[in-house]
Amino acid sequence: MKASSTAPLAAPSAVSQRRVFEAIALGLIVLLAAGLRFYRIDAQSLWYDEGNSARIAERSIQLILEGAAGDIHPPLYYLLLSLWRSVFGASETALRSLSAVSGIGLVALAWGLGRRLFGIRAGLAAAALLAVSPFAVYYSQEARMYALLALWAALASVWIVTLALPDPSTPSTGSGTGSGQVRWPGAALYALATAAGLYTHYAYPFV
């Protein structure tokens, strides 16, 4: 006897339901983080250090590199801000939005790191706490390199954890995490994130 083709579809698995819940929760947290970081981002004019960022970002790449040689900070943030300025303009909102976007990315990375180390609830909790942290929001509204510095630190942390811990959702191939195919991409990305951090702020070695 043939099975009926009109049989009801199977209910979504518990795993699928958790993934949908996690995606919705993370999306809401990221939206909250974006709202807090862009809310009244232009309420105050640029203060002294932000003004320095704005003036340096006006220069050519060659002059930015030359100026950084005698400055207390490396040039990467200023180079990125110069590129950002050429696309979005030189207003307070435009200049500070690079930090705001970095701060939003940091929230997403906090979720990924917390999830990998301690599970879904920890990842969402980490993202939510960082999203509403006054300290994190404040530095995400400054035309300075601190939010970008935190972003590189989080990226490096994600990749070093990826190298150190196997992904429980990936089936084992029997080759282990020592396989060059598994480790080299992560190692290269870790090196890039670390180099970016070093070229953003001289305090990065403390990370």
Side-chain angles (χ1 to χ4, degrees):
M1 186 175 184
K2 293 183 178 180
S4 172
S5 60
T6 59
L9 296 175
S13 67
V15 172
S16 296
Q17 290 177 342
R18 284 199 300 270
R19 288 178 177 173
V20 170
F21 166 78
E22 184 181 18
I24 293 173
L26 178 62
L28 292 174
I29 290 169
V30 170
L31 285 175
L32 174 63
L36 291 174
R37 281 152 181 78
F38 278 100
Y39 176 68
R40 292 176 56 83
I41 195 173
D42 61 346
Q44 299 183 36
S45 59
L46 300 177
W47 68 287
Y48 183 80
D49 283 358
E50 289 183 300
N52 283 338
S53 297
R55 297 290 79 81
I56 293 173
E58 293 175 349
R59 303 174 183 173
S60 66
I61 292 176
Q62 182 62 34
L63 288 177
I64 290 175
L65 293 174
E66 290 176 359
D71 192 28
I72 60 172
H73 298 300
L76 182 58
Y77 170 74
Y78 300 123
L79 292 170
L80 291 176
L81 186 62
S82 178
L83 176 62
W84 195 269
R85 180 181 180 275
S86 68
V87 176
F88 298 104
S91 67
E92 285 92 346
T93 298
L95 293 175
R96 289 168 174 162
S97 63
L98 174 58
S99 293
V101 171
S102 298
I104 296 166
L106 179 62
V107 170
L109 288 173
W111 160 77
L113 190 60
R115 187 185 195 279
R116 187 66 179 269
L117 290 173
F118 303 109
I120 292 174
R121 291 182 180 178
L124 292 175
L129 288 171
L130 190 59
V132 300
S133 165
F135 184 84
V137 173
Y138 177 85
Y139 282 104
S140 293
Q141 292 189 333
E142 270 209 341
R144 297 296 287 167
M145 67 287 296
Y146 306 114
L148 183 65
L149 178 70
L151 183 70
W152 298 137
L155 273 173
S157 299
V158 167
W159 286 115
I160 200 68
V161 167
T162 300
L163 288 169
L165 300 177
D167 188 346
S169 66
T170 303
S172 174
T173 60
S175 59
T177 57
S179 166
Q181 289 182 338
V182 174
R183 295 184 66 85
W184 276 113
L189 291 167
Y190 169 73
L192 286 173
T194 299
L198 292 170
Y199 276 94
T200 298
H201 200 286
Y202 288 124
Y204 188 84
F206 289 109
V207 173

